[in-house]
Amino acid sequence: MRIAIYGGSFNPMHIGHEKIVDYVLNNLNMDKIIIIPVGIPSHRENNLEQSDTRLKICKEIFKENKKIEVSDIEIKSEGKSYTYDTLLKLIDLYGENNEFFEIIGEDSLKSLKTWKNYEELLKICKFIVFRRKDDKNIQIDEEFLNNKNIIILENEYYDISSTEIRNMIKNNEDISAFVNKKVKKLIEKEYLD
């Protein structure tokens, strides 16, 4: 199988995230996409609360698509979440005969050399890299531009921010244009302080 892994804070998951999943499913011939809301992030301060809510929202959005699985593998893990450790667990779970892909943004590619065991990661999976509007001036390392395991897409920009959505909720603004209508009420109810 061709298995794509899409990890993130998803705090909350919005239409931009869904478009990324749709793009990968429809254009890159994946058999499965595993959505993984992060537990304790390794690259930034942990301000992620409401793990159960983030998981519930992801499951609600994708519950009718048999090719998409939402996993609590990182939320249930103790300590910080590292892509390398999660990938090893998934390879163990699904079998090493499958082909694994990590979905990331250009900003993550720029910092890839700081990731745990990044060189080993590049041997055991491929990276699908989405362009982001605010990353248009990012300089990507030559080593990555020429790596056959890094696929840089020419995707449209998905200019939506989870931070902005959370701020809109706090200010009682309408978030309908940015989130899945199936989970709008759930998001508004559970993200209110």
Side-chain angles (χ1 to χ4, degrees):
M1 285 197 300
R2 287 165 60 87
I3 301 174
I5 299 152
Y6 187 22
S9 57
F10 306 128
N11 191 26
M13 179 165 268
H14 53 63
I15 287 171
H17 296 129
E18 290 185 66
K19 286 183 176 179
I20 286 171
V21 171
D22 286 344
Y23 185 103
V24 172
L25 268 185
N26 296 326
N27 296 286
L28 300 176
N29 195 28
M30 293 295 155
D31 297 296
K32 179 188 279 290
I33 296 184
I34 305 171
I35 308 285
I36 304 178
V38 73
I40 299 173
S42 59
H43 285 281
R44 56 182 158 171
E45 182 184 346
N46 180 25
N47 61 354
L48 298 180
E49 297 173 9
Q50 303 160 310
S51 294
D52 291 341
T53 299
R54 293 184 292 118
L55 189 69
K56 194 189 303 182
I57 288 167
C58 292
K59 285 185 173 179
E60 180 64 29
I61 289 170
F62 297 111
K63 68 182 180 185
E64 290 167 21
N65 192 323
K66 291 190 167 88
K67 285 191 167 187
I68 299 173
E69 174 186 332
V70 177
S71 171
D72 61 2
I73 193 168
E74 287 197 355
I75 286 174
K76 283 189 169 176
S77 291
E78 291 183 13
K80 289 186 176 180
S81 298
Y82 292 97
T83 299
Y84 179 75
D85 298 332
T86 300
L87 182 59
L88 290 185
K89 289 176 189 172
L90 293 173
I91 290 171
D92 195 44
L93 192 63
Y94 290 97
E96 58 186 29
N97 294 330
N98 295 302
E99 192 174 4
F100 292 88
F101 299 79
E102 288 280 348
I103 301 169
I104 62 171
E106 272 182 307
D107 55 332
S108 295
L109 180 60
K110 185 185 178 195
S111 65
L112 191 61
K113 285 187 174 181
T114 68
W115 289 26
K116 179 179 179 179
N117 298 351
Y118 87 92
E119 290 172 320
E120 187 62 25
L121 265 175
L122 282 167
K123 292 175 188 169
I124 59 177
C125 76
K126 291 186 169 87
F127 283 85
I128 298 167
V129 183
F130 276 80
R131 296 181 310 154
R132 290 169 50 143
K133 195 169 190 176
D134 53 350
D135 296 336
K136 59 185 172 225
N137 295 320
I138 281 183
Q139 295 296 312
I140 297 172
D141 195 298
E142 283 292 322
E143 172 190 342
F144 296 149
L145 285 174
N146 300 316
N147 192 306
K148 64 180 174 47
N149 284 343
I150 294 178
I151 304 154
I152 300 174
L153 302 175
E154 288 297 319
N155 58 283
E156 65 174 290
Y157 295 123
Y158 308 123
D159 195 16
I160 305 171
S161 155
S162 293
T163 304
E164 287 174 20
I165 292 168
R166 291 195 307 276
N167 288 335
M168 290 174 74
I169 293 165
K170 284 179 186 169
N171 296 324
N172 293 316
E173 296 173 41
D174 184 18
I175 60 170
S176 300
F178 307 105
V179 299
N180 189 305
K181 63 183 179 184
K182 289 192 293 185
V183 295
K184 179 176 177 277
K185 286 181 183 171
L186 179 66
I187 289 171
E188 289 174 329
K189 177 185 166 194
E190 303 215 14
Y191 273 82
L192 288 173
D193 292 334

